[in-house]
Amino acid sequence: MRSTGENSVRRIILLSTALAGFALPAAADQIAVLGWGGAYTTSQVEAYHKPFTAKTGVGVVSVDTDNPATPIKAQVESGNVTTDVASVEYADAVRLCDEGLLEEIDPAILPAAPDGTPAEEDFLPGSLADCFVATDVFSTVLAYDASKFADGAAPTKLADFFDLEKFPGKRGMRKSAKVNLEMALLADGVPAAEVYDMLRTDEGVERAFKKLDSIKSQIVWWEAGAQPPQLLADGEVAMTIAYNGRIFNAAITENKPFEIVWDGQVYEVEGWVIPKGAPNLELAKDFVAFSTSAEPLAKAAEWISYGPPRKSSAPLVGTFMDGKTEMAPHLPTSPENMTNALASDYEFWVDHDTELNERFNAWLAG
């Protein structure tokens, strides 16, 4: 779901192999932060690394890899930890924490919102865990090509995706049970707060698949995040489920006439972890606390269309790096986009992934 654009940040250290760790000496005046590269790392360098150094005098060495969770696990298990802070997806953070490979992060170290609201109340639900503090929110949304609809005739809510009579045409969906089942229930009128309780019942699962049945004959399945914008551009689908960042990039940087319907979005979080045995533990905690305060999180959202996970950050977000595109309308976390939004439930999918994907695959073949 991340941008695949070139990394504008000079890499200071090159990775030799994911299993070998990084040849970075521990130093009291610098920390090593492991990230994903590309536009994602650029946003972090500009919003977190540079301001942290300016404030504290502590340098931040940025190192990139395809998935930071892999080398973090290798470093800790080998007893050769050279990373102080790493950016990982929520699911990986929970898994690594359960395996005892991460330091716990006390939410009490996190700064309050500008109005004094405690951090734990300011962060969106699902943004904090024992070893994890969120830095950004990405989402799965409904998108369409505005040039294919007359004025006033475009979809405005998730239920429209399932309305083939009013909105004929093919639909793009990811080939997976996850998100599809949630969106089916949301579109069928189930409140976001009740979706996972519903999916824990046989009746709820049946209801979700019945809703999917209503458009099954018109679905074009995709598996990679780059595919939905291409399906729209090629006119292969009338509308599609897609990652918000991909649609934003196509619309803003490629001038595609694509629009997002935020109703029924399903959002997920990524954020910081500290490896067990980090060489500069206290500095790592200082960096995590600094970078996840309201203003840095808002600044990061000006570089990439992922939303800040703190409510107090939303009004602080400015324009995209083109200097003209206001970012707020394009962020999953903007208040107007959070209506009927659903936080993806990691624990639910740990418990039910196998059975629901078996059911999904059987449904596909049926």
Side-chain angles (χ1 to χ4, degrees):
M1 68 290 294
R2 292 182 187 77
S3 169
T4 56
E6 291 216 341
N7 187 0
S8 62
V9 181
R10 181 172 62 90
R11 294 189 183 185
I12 301 173
I13 293 172
L14 296 177
L15 291 174
S16 54
T17 168
L19 299 178
F22 302 97
L24 182 68
D29 61 349
Q30 69 179 27
I31 59 172
V33 176
L34 185 59
W36 297 83
Y40 193 61
T41 288
T42 299
S43 71
Q44 294 180 335
V45 169
E46 296 296 331
Y48 313 145
H49 302 9
K50 289 180 179 179
F52 181 73
T53 298
K55 181 178 181 180
T56 66
V58 176
V60 181
V61 179
S62 185
V63 186
D64 298 334
T65 185
D66 289 338
N67 183 351
T70 302
I72 288 303
K73 180 178 176 69
Q75 287 181 28
V76 178
E77 290 182 343
S78 69
N80 181 29
V81 181
T82 56
T83 297
D84 294 298
V85 180
S87 176
V88 303
E89 294 181 351
Y90 181 86
D92 284 328
V94 173
R95 175 177 56 82
L96 293 171
C97 190
D98 288 346
E99 293 174 6
L101 302 178
L102 301 176
E103 300 282 351
E104 291 197 5
I105 302 175
D106 184 350
I109 73 169
L110 305 176
D115 66 358
T117 301
E120 287 185 272
E121 297 176 24
D122 193 33
F123 274 88
L124 295 172
S127 297
L128 300 175
D130 289 345
C131 306
F132 173 87
V133 181
T135 55
D136 59 275
V137 179
F138 68 91
S139 72
T140 304
V141 295
L142 165 59
Y144 65 93
D145 183 336
S147 69
K148 302 296 175 64
F149 294 89
D151 289 344
T156 59
K157 57 187 183 297
L158 184 59
D160 293 339
F161 186 80
F162 292 83
D163 189 344
L164 294 177
E165 183 175 344
K166 185 176 180 181
F167 300 95
K170 297 288 186 179
R171 306 296 201 254
M173 298 191 85
R174 185 183 177 188
K175 201 173 185 179
S176 168
K178 184 180 177 183
V179 177
N180 288 340
L181 297 183
E182 291 99 318
M183 284 188 159
L185 290 181
L186 288 167
D188 205 38
V190 177
E194 299 174 17
V195 165
Y196 286 108
D197 287 339
M198 181 75 70
L199 281 178
R200 286 183 174 91
T201 68
D202 290 341
E203 294 80 7
V205 172
E206 289 297 329
R207 182 173 173 179
F209 276 104
K210 183 178 180 180
K211 191 67 173 178
L212 290 173
D213 275 335
S214 68
I215 60 170
K216 185 178 182 181
S217 65
Q218 298 300 306
I219 298 175
V220 176
W221 299 104
W222 58 266
E223 298 183 65
Q227 290 176 271
Q230 195 61 52
L231 289 172
L232 286 177
D234 293 344
E236 291 188 39
V237 296
M239 57 185 88
T240 186
I241 303 303
Y243 298 126
N244 80 286
R246 295 285 187 170
I247 299 301
F248 173 84
N249 287 342
I252 303 303
T253 66
E254 300 173 22
N255 296 312
K256 299 293 186 183
F258 298 166
E259 298 287 346
I260 287 175
V261 173
W262 291 100
D263 176 65
Q265 64 152 312
V266 179
Y267 67 87
E268 302 180 57
V269 296
E270 299 170 297
W272 297 132
V273 297
I274 301 174
K276 181 75 74 172
N280 299 291
L281 177 58
E282 293 308 313
L283 287 178
K285 290 180 179 179
D286 289 345
F287 175 80
V288 169
F290 171 85
S291 60
T292 58
S293 57
E295 289 188 6
L297 292 177
K299 186 68 175 177
E302 295 171 6
W303 288 83
I304 194 166
S305 62
Y306 298 157
R310 293 186 74 142
K311 301 167 192 172
S312 61
S313 297
L316 305 178
V317 178
T319 59
F320 186 50
M321 56 184 156
D322 62 5
K324 60 182 181 180
T325 302
E326 290 292 334
M327 288 302 290
H330 302 285
L331 301 179
T333 51
S334 291
E336 60 271 24
N337 295 339
M338 290 294 287
T339 302
N340 203 34
L342 176 67
S344 181
D345 188 330
Y346 165 75
E347 298 292 348
F348 172 85
W349 284 105
V350 167
D351 294 338
H352 300 281
D353 184 84
T354 300
E355 65 185 83
L356 289 179
N357 271 300
E358 286 178 354
R359 172 69 187 277
F360 180 78
N361 289 332
W363 174 81
L364 277 180

